[in-house]
Amino acid sequence: MSASTLLLSLFKYKAWANAELFTELQKLDPVTHHAERQNAIRILNHIFVVDRIFAAHLSGSPHSYAATNTAETPTLRELHSVVTESDSWYIEYISKLRPELLSEYVSFRFTDGGQGRMSREEILAHVATHGGYHRGAVGGIMNRAAVPPPRDIFTAYLHKSEPERREPNRIVENL
């Protein structure tokens, strides 16, 4: 398996995990669990902002963020919509990225003003793992509010998206 193939699979998993989480998060009552819901949205908004900052770095475009979160908190519906668009952007970006460009370094400035330099592959790995880390925090919030979070694990995604992987002794091509 190539790095490009793995990254594409990880970002498809990320999109799936985000969709599952937003669906289940709607079950968190906005009145009874207002603080928990707002905290979860703030964490998910942070993921989104960081995703967009690094998308700008990857595309060589400026971004408008002065911090890794926004002052205003979007609604769950608004955030779900823009996260879905962002996830699609990453999947398309990786699908079109020539493998030899993965090792290309990108210089950028962090929101704190510090300089940074990472390969495209490192940036993509950071975005994938950063989102997973924070989705876990949202899952903890949901558990404490007695709303079970979805199973946010790569194997669950792989077996749901490719059910033939569950068949015993089946050889799956291109693994």
Side-chain angles (χ1 to χ4, degrees), residues 112-132:
D112 68 2
Q115 292 292 324
R117 184 173 182 259
M118 297 168 72
S119 71
R120 291 179 187 282
E121 188 172 41
E122 289 169 334
I123 289 171
L124 292 167
H126 169 69
V127 170
T129 58
H130 175 260

